[in-house]
Amino acid sequence: MPPPADIVKVAIEWPGANAQLIEMDQKRPLTSIIREVCDGWSLSGSEQFALRYADGPQLYITEQSRSEIKNGTILRLAISPARAARQLLERIQSHGIDARLEALKELAKLSADPTFATEFINMEGIGTLARLVESGTHFGEMLAFTLTAFLELMDHGIVSWDLISLSFIKQIAGYVNQPMVDVSILQRSLAILESMVLNSHNLYHRVAQEITVGQLIGHLQVSNQEIQTYAIALINALFLKAPEDRRQEMASTLAQKHLRSIILNHVIRGNRPIKAEMAHQLYVLQVLTFNLLEERMMTKMDPNDQAQRDIIFELRRIAFDGENDPTGTEKRKAMYTKDYKMLGFTNHVNPAMDFTLTPPGMLALDNMLYLAKVHQDTYIRIVLENSSREDKHECPFGRCAIELTRMLCEILQVGELPNEGCNDYHPMFFTHDRAWEEFFCVCIQLLNKTWKEMRATAEDFNKVMQVVREQITRALAMKPSSLDQLKNKLRGLNYSEILRLRQSERMSQDDFQSPPIIELRERIQPEILELIKQQRLNRLCEGSCFRKLGNRRRQEKFWFCRLSLNHKVLHYGDLDESPQGEVPFELLSDKIPVSDIKSVVTGKDCPHMKEKSALKQNKEVLELAFSVLYDPDETLNFVAPNKYEYCIWTDGLCALLGREMGSDLTRSDLDTLISMEMKLRLLDLENITIPEAPPPVPKEPSSYNFTYNYS
């Protein structure tokens, strides 16, 4: 007979004594259980003790968290959080340097526990640490542990960052501005300043007075990638929280060739691989830089604004009048309408009306003017080449440039907030001072070339734009390291190649519609679906690493989850770093019986998505979020690293619960495998007929990537 659900069998340790094996009744008060444990070792004053986990982060167990204790857990009897906080506070204020150092070292470790942190903060512990920093008398290890403990305590969100004094900010900023400072102190100082900026509008202004982007540049030239990451994270925080009137000023600083070339040469092109957190910070910097275009993208042209109309006149003059013809403008005034038609504007009489739609608004006109002035020969060639074609085959430059600008804004998500879990930065955008404009110039030439290859007419405009979008997205996916590499990638993706790729992909996903094929498809579908389910469960047994969400300190924190080989228990636990390969079950201290799982929810239905801020609740994170709901009203929350892992886990968990799988990836895999199976079987048939009994399909996948050998 199985034990009652409220009884948990655990082992409890105490230094110098044999462990006690007890059956913990979850209905009994925790104080009563602790008293019983203390009596077993003849310890008096049970109210001065508490239980902690023996493995992992060794968190204190409270009435609220005790439900997470599972059968077989090893616990440890320890002094209570209040007593530990009081003792550490006394030792930190002692005069002995060695005793103070040991106390700060222990405090840095315990501060990650929310129960201990609450007790320590209630004893004015943060004020004590702040005064130690402000005194300027701590150096080396002692200062590093002080800053670590301070950051851990503040990260719990128990007290407001607005309570931080100006003296403390100046001291922390001083560590960042010092030419020679210990690496651990510099890391923590940068992280503290970043948290100040992100969590308090008032502190942003104080930090901005003490730290400038120029002062952070030196930290990008070091060989330590951790320091570089913290420095870029602080730059991003200052950029993100800057008021509108200062954002353009910061943009001018970021646009300077000096800063851009340092990031390119010392970070992107350094002699070491880019870690995930650095890639994320580069992505955030890229997004914030492109978001400066949003104002122009959403600004409509005023047809009555003469300065704006003069830009259109300049486009016409460069294309048709030449630089050395002072009488050209007067001579051609009567031909303006014809010229505007040749320039490809939709409104030939008043082309200013073409720029009243947002997006792309005035950004399109900015791009056209940049092309006309910086790449004048290319601009004139495109305009004159099309003006000499037959009317039905001319490529309307103006209309194309406007639509292309809108398309590029969509592809690069101009105006959208950075996605917390995204690392999708493009090195080529760090290789040029005017990367956006140069990117447009490359793409407008591609559009003109594709138009000619397709022998397109005005009626084919949308088809051409679809092909160009595909060319650009495929080229960006190859991660070209420079604009020249982008051009080479695009040359290889001409219209003929796009057609070939489309045909190849279509053939690989062929869905024949003849009745025999439909019947064969229906017959083999259950076998293939079972094969996919089996593969999903096998992958869950291998396990996956997940990144902890909402970590403001930009330090990588991970946890790992995997299914037991008998498919009955989910094992999980925290990790200090991303693992290389599988993590043994014995290192995963927590577990959930599959029988306790009530359901699996995804997206905005997940508890951890409902609690997150607007910045984290963007589309990409929502699409990768899922939660396991289990008894008694507990959840295990996930954010998958990518769509593939998301489908693997949601499908696998649904298979465990005996439910129908329904992710897009499953449907795609199913279609691919069924088509492959049908083709292999039909090769053995003289005519398209249904065999009496289909050949057996292996029940186990032969590899991770759905490549199977059928007999």
Side-chain angles (χ1 to χ4, degrees), residues 357-383:
L357 182 66
T358 58
M362 290 295 291
L363 184 60
L365 188 59
D366 296 341
N367 286 340
M368 295 166 70
L369 184 63
Y370 181 88
L371 175 68
K373 286 193 168 184
V374 179
H375 300 280
Q376 192 172 120
D377 292 343
T378 299
Y379 168 69
I380 294 174
R381 176 179 57 78
I382 291 175
V383 173

Side-chain angles (χ1 to χ4, degrees), residues 303-314:
N304 298 318
D305 188 323
Q306 187 58 43
Q308 295 179 1
R309 291 170 61 87
D310 286 345
I311 299 177
I312 298 178
F313 294 155
E314 182 71 2

Side-chain angles (χ1 to χ4, degrees), residues 102-120:
E102 288 302 315
L104 287 169
K105 186 182 298 185
E106 188 175 348
L107 176 64
K109 180 180 178 181
L110 281 177
S111 295
D113 188 294
T115 308
F116 170 85
T118 302
E119 296 290 347
F120 190 80

Side-chain angles (χ1 to χ4, degrees), residues 17 43 77 84 162 172 262 266 298 319 351 370 470 478 505 517 526 561 567 597 603 607 616 684:
L43 298 174
L77 186 67
D162 287 318
I172 297 296
I262 285 175
H266 292 271
M298 301 307 295
Y370 181 88
E470 187 172 345
M478 300 177 192
E505 291 169 359
I517 296 299
C561 186
H567 299 175
I597 297 177
K616 297 174 183 175
D684 295 331

Side-chain angles (χ1 to χ4, degrees), residues 31-273:
T31 53
S32 173
I33 297 174
I34 294 173
R35 186 184 307 114
E36 183 180 300
V37 172
C38 289
D39 291 343
W41 284 313
S42 301
L43 298 174
S44 60
S46 61
E47 67 278 358
Q48 297 294 319
F49 292 93
L51 293 177
R52 295 172 61 183
Y53 288 100
D55 301 320
Q58 300 182 3
L59 300 177
Y60 279 101
I61 295 168
T62 64
E63 290 289 354
Q64 292 73 32
S65 65
R66 62 184 296 180
S67 59
E68 300 174 6
I69 302 174
K70 305 300 178 184
N71 278 320
T73 302
I74 300 176
L75 306 180
R76 179 174 298 159
L77 186 67
I79 59 174
S80 67
R83 184 180 174 188
R86 191 180 306 108
Q87 289 182 358
L88 285 176
L89 200 55
E90 292 172 355
R91 290 163 59 193
I92 288 170
Q93 295 171 318
S94 68
H95 298 292
I97 295 179
D98 292 339
R100 186 181 298 180
L101 176 60
E102 288 302 315
L104 287 169
K105 186 182 298 185
E106 188 175 348
L107 176 64
K109 180 180 178 181
L110 281 177
S111 295
D113 188 294
T115 308
F116 170 85
T118 302
E119 296 290 347
F120 190 80
I121 291 171
N122 289 339
M123 297 176 186
E124 302 297 328
I126 285 184
T128 301
L129 295 180
R131 287 189 291 273
L132 290 177
V133 174
E134 292 170 9
S135 68
T137 57
H138 285 57
F139 305 97
E141 267 192 316
M142 191 173 293
L143 178 59
F145 287 124
T146 303
L147 296 179
T148 300
F150 177 86
L151 188 58
E152 290 281 3
L153 293 167
M154 293 300 297
D155 195 49
H156 292 292
I158 299 172
V159 295
S160 171
W161 282 90
D162 287 318
L163 300 176
I164 303 303
S165 68
L166 181 59
S167 174
F168 181 87
I169 296 173
K170 288 180 176 292
Q171 193 68 37
I172 297 296
Y175 299 138
V176 173
N177 293 330
Q178 285 180 16
M180 297 294 292
V181 67
D182 185 81
V183 170
S184 58
I185 295 173
L186 179 58
Q187 283 181 349
R188 289 154 179 78
S189 298
L190 289 168
I192 290 172
L193 291 175
E194 182 199 3
S195 292
M196 288 180 183
V197 172
L198 292 177
N199 289 282
S200 171
H201 178 73
N202 294 330
L203 290 185
Y204 162 79
H205 293 284
R206 294 182 179 181
V207 173
Q209 291 174 354
E210 302 294 331
I211 297 290
T212 65
V213 174
Q215 291 169 319
L216 295 173
I217 289 178
H219 298 307
L220 299 176
Q221 297 174 277
V222 300
S223 58
N224 188 320
Q225 190 173 124
E226 295 297 321
I227 295 296
Q228 293 176 325
T229 303
Y230 280 102
I232 294 182
L234 180 53
I235 291 173
N236 287 336
L238 290 168
F239 199 172
L240 184 64
K241 295 298 181 178
E244 292 296 331
D245 56 339
R246 291 203 59 186
R247 197 162 292 175
Q248 288 298 331
E249 177 186 339
M250 280 204 66
S252 300
T253 304
L254 292 174
Q256 293 175 1
K257 186 175 182 180
H258 183 52
L259 174 61
R260 180 192 57 76
S261 62
I262 285 175
I263 293 177
L264 180 66
N265 296 322
H266 292 271
V267 178
I268 296 176
R269 293 178 178 173
N271 296 324
R272 55 198 178 281

